[in-house]
Amino acid sequence: MLIDTPATASGWAFPAEEYLARATRLRAVMRQHGVELLIIDQFEHLAYYTGHIPTAAMYQCCLFPLEGEPLMIVRSLDGPMLAEMSWVRERVLFDDSDEPLTRVVSEIERRGWRRRTIGVETDSHFLLPARLQRLQASLPEARFIDFAGHMWTQRLLKSALEIDYLRRCSAICDQATLAGVAAAGVGVNERRVAAEIYRCALAHGADNTRLLLMQSGPRSSTLHGALGERILQPGDTVHIEMVPHYRGYSARSMRPVWVGEPDAAALSVAERLVACQDAQFAAMRPGAAASAVDQLLREAVLREGLRDSYTNISGYTLGLVCIPRTSDFTRVFLPDSDWRLEAGMVFHMYVWAQGMAFSETVLITPDGAERLTRLDRRLFIAGEEAKR
């Protein structure tokens, strides 16, 4: 398989050799499982293996054979973006009046693949049960194999350029958080704080529009709540969680911001949460058991009396994230997790209690954990950055 570098290659997220290496690794797994043709339709996998991120309005996919050139089947409206973003040369564009699955079946038949062993992503958000049933009914001579999980795990170890993108995205987290700290203050509408965070993140290169989760006051413990209209008051905590993307890769961070002068109790909670998480980071080395890493934090937080119970995970995979997913749980940190850390993995590690949350984007290196997000690990004071 050859990958030409066209004039539009400036729109590619990665160089040709990286896409070729990914295709080679994927085909090795296909061969191992007896898959002759793979239907790729999960957006993260389309982006990772072909470079193209389609829209979700209509079904679109890549037919990826064990031998020969892949074929993209894409909505005509997305054709220009496909040409700009993807290295794949074989393309079929369909109109909005066409039925996408009909085009998929016809191309499989036209290319002599109707009797092949076909791998499908049963864990895809787009190959719905009705679509899979229709494919199976339309291709009765094909043998369908569940290929779930394989492409998710192939993406766990990040390349040097992927890590570079995550570093750049982490810097966006840091810069935009400081912008929010500077904008916050007594009498300020929380939407004004959010607007300044958005402005800063987009100005520094964020390429998504859902790049912030923010709540304040009594709602600061609602980590995934909607933005409100609160006017910030003395004693409020503003929860800032950054979730920007850069070239499709998402870094994340959380920081609490205190409105007014924090009391000793608030400072103590923040310091103890940071200490608990710092101990967890120190244990994050290649070969470490994820369950042991999780238990270090979970047990410390409970032992300190910061929470009565600990029901959530303490971290999860970071990397490519596409709609409709907002997070990647291919690997998570729980007391019963049965996997081990490897160099090249990247995670969002977080801890929260009593309305305060701290989190980091963490890269596992051969020497241990490296924080890609670099902000001070402390309780920030509203308006302090504006005074510097």
Side-chain angles (χ1 to χ4, degrees):
M1 181 180 66
L2 299 176
I3 300 181
D4 293 334
T5 304
T8 57
S10 60
W12 294 6
F14 296 92
E17 55 267 25
E18 184 150 344
Y19 285 119
L20 181 58
R22 294 173 181 181
T24 300
R25 292 195 302 270
L26 179 59
R27 281 177 165 155
V29 178
M30 291 170 62
R31 189 171 290 108
Q32 178 184 353
H33 292 273
V35 173
E36 297 172 291
L37 176 67
L38 179 62
I39 301 177
I40 304 175
D41 50 25
Q42 181 68 26
F43 282 7
E44 286 91 342
H45 303 150
L46 286 170
Y48 187 78
Y49 293 105
T50 78
H52 180 56
I53 304 176
T55 56
M58 302 182 76
Y59 183 79
Q60 304 179 62
C61 70
C62 176
L63 301 181
F64 201 94
L66 188 60
E67 306 287 345
E69 295 294 324
L71 171 68
M72 298 294 296
I73 301 179
V74 172
R75 187 184 182 197
S76 296
L77 190 67
D78 294 335
M81 285 302 296
L82 173 65
E84 179 180 321
M85 299 172 68
S86 179
W87 62 267
V88 178
R89 296 173 295 181
E90 294 287 327
R91 299 158 183 182
V92 171
L93 304 181
F94 60 84
D95 296 337
D96 286 2
S97 58
D98 295 333
E99 208 298 310
L101 278 182
T102 300
R103 296 303 299 270
V104 172
V105 171
S106 67
E107 288 300 323
I108 290 175
E109 292 176 336
R110 190 172 73 85
R111 293 165 188 267
W113 294 336
R114 67 181 183 277
R115 295 188 178 91
R116 299 290 175 91
T117 300
I118 300 175
V120 292
E121 299 186 78
T122 57
D123 54 356
S124 166
H125 284 79
F126 302 98
L127 188 62
L128 303 177
R131 286 174 176 160
L132 177 56
Q133 291 167 9
R134 182 174 171 190
L135 280 175
Q136 292 171 324
S138 300
L139 298 165
E141 296 178 277
R143 178 184 173 222
F144 286 82
I145 287 182
D146 185 0
F147 203 71
H150 297 301
M151 287 181 278
W152 296 103
T153 55
Q154 278 210 337
R155 297 193 296 106
L156 284 171
L157 303 185
K158 306 301 189 288
S159 71
L161 188 50
E162 287 181 290
I163 292 170
D164 179 63
Y165 287 168
L166 286 162
R167 286 188 192 280
R168 296 188 189 196
C169 197
S170 295
I172 295 170
C173 288
D174 294 345
Q175 292 157 341
T177 298
L178 292 179
V181 173
V186 175
V188 176
N189 190 306
E190 64 181 8
R191 285 185 175 268
R192 177 179 165 190
V193 179
E196 184 58 23
I197 291 172
Y198 268 82
R199 183 206 62 77
C200 181
L202 293 171
H204 283 88
D207 57 21
N208 63 318
T209 53
R210 182 190 179 274
L211 50 78
L212 170 70
L213 298 171
M214 196 189 89
Q215 297 79 39
S216 66
R219 300 181 66 245
S220 61
S221 291
T222 308
L223 295 191
H224 295 160
L227 184 65
E229 297 272 2
R230 289 193 72 257
I231 303 300
L232 300 181
Q233 302 296 323
D236 279 351
T237 300
V238 181
H239 166 73
I240 297 178
E241 178 177 0
M242 295 303 307
V243 291
H245 291 193
Y246 181 84
R247 299 307 294 263
Y249 284 76
S250 180
R252 307 207 166 169
S253 69
M254 301 182 196
R255 286 295 187 277
V257 181
W258 193 271
V259 180
E261 192 66 30
D263 55 29
L267 290 170
S268 174
V269 169
E271 290 169 1
R272 290 152 66 200
L273 284 173
V274 168
C276 291
Q277 195 176 46
D278 283 347
Q280 182 187 44
F281 291 166
M284 296 181 70
R285 295 181 167 274
S291 57
V293 170
D294 175 83
Q295 287 171 345
L296 271 173
L297 177 74
R298 188 178 302 268
E299 293 177 359
V301 169
L302 294 174
R303 186 170 57 249
E304 286 285 326
L306 293 165
R307 290 175 59 168
D308 295 329
S309 63
Y310 210 122
T311 58
N312 57 281
I313 60 177
S314 62
Y316 56 85
T317 300
L318 278 180
L320 262 174
V321 179
C322 300
I323 57 172
R325 292 169 67 95
T326 56
S327 297
D328 183 347
F329 280 17
T330 303
R331 291 287 184 271
V332 298
F333 289 82
L334 282 167
D336 60 353
S337 296
D338 61 355
W339 55 276
R340 293 183 178 272
L341 281 67
E342 298 178 57
M345 291 179 167
V346 180
F347 302 103
H348 181 213
M349 307 300 298
Y350 70 101
V351 61
W352 67 283
Q354 300 184 33
M356 296 189 197
F358 293 87
S359 79
E360 308 290 353
T361 296
V362 177
L363 166 68
I364 306 304
T365 76
D367 298 321
E370 176 188 349
R371 281 202 297 124
L372 300 185
T373 41
R374 304 297 301 165
L375 275 186
D376 292 347
R377 289 173 53 71
R378 62 180 175 84
L379 176 61
F380 281 80
I381 311 303
E384 67 174 83
E385 291 301 311
K387 300 173 184 176
R388 294 189 179 185

